[in-house]
């Protein structure tokens, strides 16, 4: 469990949501019409413009999401309840939203102002299917793959979960609406919690019984005061749940939040990676419950694969709460697990020349099978101030297996 810093004093009186300067001049108006008018991925945008990025953390140095390195020297980090945290509490695979200054396309860098992180599920593990690469908690099916990160307490990865059935897990994931499963980017074992959590779509609703379905879980909101009146099937919600189920097996809602990912501010640049969670057509759909207008976008991989559940990368701008896409690219996962899924920058510690491991940015790295050494040799590891490491996860998802190590300028 990550320790909240919400009771600490922060200089400048940091608020839950730092106000970013709204900018939508001619560049954004052009983006509304689609085509090449967007300032996405460019330098020299008008002063005060801001970028929005959503995805899973794939590296540190400072924080890397969707291939962009975000400077976190002056960032505010908060969880999905608004509690403040330190930047070093972020972990590989965490689902995040980042507000930043303009992204420099030549260096793929930006200065982050706000990072928000939050998991999709927190609850007791009920079943593990190792052969099917999945497990179940709170009535939800969660799939894992070669890029799923496991906390170090879960040495052994998915197989180790069989020994902790009944314990509480926290899962960062993308929801696949076509198959109604969650695809995990990170799995943590929680030592103690005062509530459970689910984030996703309502699949069925009974306004008479005051219950709704999320996956196989029945959730009762009968005890909430005031009663929510705008719930609807397919609406996305984040539900905080009591930790003890009712006699009929339903879960009691302690709170329900709706429209959490409604983008209330315009952004001249936006990049979102995720699964299509609602679909009308290849040019009108939602990703992670964010509405997308792709009527003026380019489709490098064609429109045929832009369907419900598809994993996509969207670039564009945010206008009036809508992600106006200039590019829609399919993410088929074919390159995952082939050497460079994750990236770390910094100074190593805990070098073990016998086991051929070290620790970098809190991650254990194995250098036993490095194929590229750039600017240094294995024997020089202990003498280099800063290094860059690229690699993929070990089979148990707890160690980064380095394929490239180089001197970091």
């Amino acid at each position: 469990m990550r320790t909240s810093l919400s009771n600490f004093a922060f200089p400048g009186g940091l608020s839950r949501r730092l106000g970013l300067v709204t900018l939508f001049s001619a560049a954004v108006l052009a983006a509304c019409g689609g085509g090449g008018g967007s300032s996405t991925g460019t330098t020299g945008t008008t002063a005060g413009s801001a970028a929005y990025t959503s995805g899973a953390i794939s590296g540190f140095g400072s924080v890397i999401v969707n291939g962009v390195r975000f400077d976190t020297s002056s960032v505010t980090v908060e969880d999905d309840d608004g509690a403040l945290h330190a930047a070093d509490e972020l972990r590989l695979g965490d689902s995040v939203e980042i507000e930043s200054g303009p992204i420099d396309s030549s260096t793929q860098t930006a200065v982050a102002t706000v990072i928000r992180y939050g998991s999709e599920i927190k609850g007791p593990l009920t079943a593990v299917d190792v052969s099917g690469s999945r497990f179940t908690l709170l009535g939800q099916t969660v799939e894992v793959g070669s890029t799923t990160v496991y906390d170090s307490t879960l040495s052994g990865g998915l197989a180790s979960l069989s020994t902790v059935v009944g314990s509480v897990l926290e899962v960062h994931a993308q929801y696949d609406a076509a198959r109604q499963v969650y695809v995990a980017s990170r799995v943590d074992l929680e030592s103690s919690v005062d509530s459970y959590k689910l984030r996703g779509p309502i699949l069925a609703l009974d306004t008479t019984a005051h219950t709704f379905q999320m996956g196989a879980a029945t959730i009762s909101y009968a005890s909430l005061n005031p009663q929510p009146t705008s719930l609807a099937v397919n609406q996305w919600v984040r539900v905080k749940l009591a930790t003890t189920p009712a006699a009929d097996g339903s879960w009691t809602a302690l709170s329900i939040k709706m429209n959490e990912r409604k983008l209330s501010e315009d952004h001249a640049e936006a990049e979102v990676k995720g699964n299509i969670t609602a679909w009308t057509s290849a040019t009108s759909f939602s990703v992670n419950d964010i509405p997308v207008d792709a009527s003026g976008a380019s489709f490098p991989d064609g429109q045929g694969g832009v369907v419900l559940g598809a994993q996509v990368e969207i670039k564009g701008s945010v206008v009036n709460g809508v992600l106006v896409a200039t590019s829609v690219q399919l993410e088929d996962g074919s390159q995952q697990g082939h050497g460079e899924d994750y990236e770390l920058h910094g100074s190593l510690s805990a070098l073990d020349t016998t086991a051929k491991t070290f620790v970098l940015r809190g991650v254990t790295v194995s250098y036993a099978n490095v194929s590229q050494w750039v600017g240094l040799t294995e024997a020089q590891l202990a003498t280099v101030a800063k290094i860059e490491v690229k690699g993929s996860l070990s089979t148990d998802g707890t160690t980064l297996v380095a394929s490239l190590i180089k001197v970091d300028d």
Side-chain angles (χ1 to χ4, degrees):
M1 178 179 292
R2 305 176 207 213
T3 303
S4 170
L5 302 183
S6 57
N7 295 323
F8 280 51
F10 284 81
L14 293 175
S15 63
R16 181 181 186 275
R17 296 193 61 150
L18 295 183
L20 296 179
V21 177
T22 300
L23 168 77
F24 269 83
S25 57
V28 176
L29 293 176
C32 290
S38 169
S39 61
T40 300
T42 63
T43 58
T45 53
T46 307
S49 65
Y52 172 86
T53 303
S54 175
I57 295 177
S58 62
F60 290 104
S62 295
V63 170
I64 303 173
V65 177
N66 300 353
V68 178
R69 290 179 64 180
F70 291 93
D71 182 335
T72 58
S73 56
S74 58
V75 73
T76 296
V77 177
E78 59 183 34
D79 62 27
D80 50 12
D81 284 322
L84 296 175
H85 294 262
D88 61 8
E89 293 182 63
L90 297 170
R91 299 290 182 261
L92 285 179
D94 278 357
S95 302
V96 296
E97 297 175 293
I98 300 178
E99 293 180 359
S100 72
I103 297 172
D104 187 328
S105 60
S106 64
T107 60
Q108 285 295 283
T109 58
V111 178
T113 53
V114 180
I115 298 178
R116 302 181 190 88
Y117 71 91
S119 59
E120 275 54 50
I121 314 172
K122 185 187 295 184
L125 175 67
T126 53
V128 181
D129 178 1
V130 175
S131 62
S133 299
R134 58 179 58 196
F135 59 88
T136 305
L137 72 166
L138 276 182
Q140 315 305 307
T141 298
V142 179
E143 289 189 347
V144 298
S146 62
T147 58
T148 302
V149 183
Y150 292 85
D151 183 75
S152 59
T153 58
L154 294 171
S155 178
L158 179 62
S160 69
L161 295 185
S162 299
T163 66
V164 294
V165 172
S167 299
V168 176
L169 300 182
E170 183 168 24
V171 179
H172 290 254
Q174 291 285 335
Y175 182 73
D176 185 335
R179 299 183 297 131
Q180 297 183 0
V181 301
Y182 290 83
V183 182
S185 58
R186 182 174 181 90
V187 180
D188 289 294
L189 181 65
E190 294 291 293
S191 56
S192 62
V193 296
D194 56 10
S195 62
Y196 297 153
K197 177 172 68 173
L198 269 178
R199 189 201 315 266
I202 293 174
L203 301 183
L205 176 65
D206 186 335
T207 56
T208 301
H210 301 293
T211 62
F212 57 85
Q213 294 290 130
M214 296 179 71
T218 299
I219 297 167
S220 171
Y221 60 94
S223 61
L224 291 182
N225 186 19
Q227 286 275 307
T229 58
S230 58
L231 296 176
V233 173
N234 295 324
Q235 180 180 30
W236 274 60
V237 294
R238 176 165 67 91
V239 188
K240 184 178 290 188
L241 303 170
T243 57
T244 302
D248 62 0
S250 65
W251 297 92
T252 301
L254 302 176
S255 67
I256 301 174
K257 292 190 177 182
M258 297 168 276
N259 302 317
E260 268 199 310
R261 289 176 174 163
K262 180 180 180 181
L263 301 179
S264 58
E265 298 172 341
D266 289 346
H267 298 277
E269 305 177 61
E271 182 173 333
V272 173
K273 280 189 178 181
N275 287 55
I276 295 178
T277 49
W279 186 91
T280 301
S281 69
T283 58
S284 179
F285 53 87
S286 295
V287 174
N288 301 339
D289 200 35
I290 297 171
V292 177
D293 175 2
S295 58
S298 65
F299 293 81
D301 307 306
Q303 295 186 6
V306 183
V307 297
L308 188 69
Q311 187 176 24
V312 292
E313 178 180 2
I314 312 292
K315 294 184 179 181
S317 57
V318 177
V319 182
N320 295 328
V322 176
L323 177 51
V324 180
T326 56
S327 173
V328 178
Q329 189 166 357
L330 295 174
E331 297 280 308
D332 61 8
S334 61
Q335 299 303 311
Q336 295 179 349
H338 292 282
E340 297 188 358
D341 295 324
Y342 293 101
E343 178 178 344
L344 302 173
H345 299 252
S347 302
L348 64 84
S349 62
L351 178 64
D352 185 334
T353 56
T354 301
K356 292 185 180 294
T357 61
F358 56 81
V359 175
L360 181 59
R361 299 277 183 173
V363 179
T364 299
V365 178
S366 169
Y367 63 90
N369 296 295
V370 175
S371 57
Q372 296 182 70
W373 294 89
V374 181
L376 76 162
T377 64
E378 179 179 330
Q380 295 172 315
L381 268 177
T383 66
V384 178
K386 292 184 178 180
I387 61 173
E388 172 186 338
V389 175
K390 291 184 179 181
S392 294
L393 294 174
S394 57
T395 54
D396 69 356
T398 61
T399 300
L400 185 65
V401 179
S403 59
L404 177 148
I405 297 180
K406 65 181 291 188
V407 173
D408 198 8
D409 298 330

